[in-house]
Amino acid sequence: MKNFDELPDSALIRLKALTQLCGISPATVWRWSKDGRLPKPRKVGSSVTVWNAGEIRKFLAGEGE
């Protein structure tokens, strides 16, 4: 995701962008979210799940939960 650094901390990112940022597969994203290694996702629709950009920044900086 090219413009991740420009997003405000309150921005929401989708699964595809998260896999690119972390360099992991969708299955790993779901597994890590379930076991607490990644921040908790948020449901914003019946089939749309997102993650908070600020929380992902902290995770990528090694300041995860």
Side-chain angles (χ1 to χ4, degrees):
M1 176 173 214
K2 287 189 255 182
N3 65 344
F4 180 70
D5 293 332
E6 298 170 14
L7 292 175
D9 283 345
S10 61
L12 302 174
I13 59 173
R14 305 238 350 225
L15 178 63
K16 184 176 180 178
L18 186 57
T19 61
Q20 293 171 352
L21 286 167
C22 296
I24 56 178
S25 72
T28 301
V29 168
W30 292 117
R31 187 172 52 252
W32 286 8
S33 292
K34 184 178 179 182
D35 70 17
R37 288 170 71 181
L38 273 175
K40 282 190 158 214
R42 293 163 172 78
K43 286 288 264 182
V44 294
S46 61
S47 62
V48 179
T49 303
V50 295
W51 285 259
N52 176 271
E55 292 174 4
I56 296 302
R57 274 195 191 96
K58 287 180 182 178
F59 168 78
L60 292 173
E63 302 169 18
E65 298 177 42

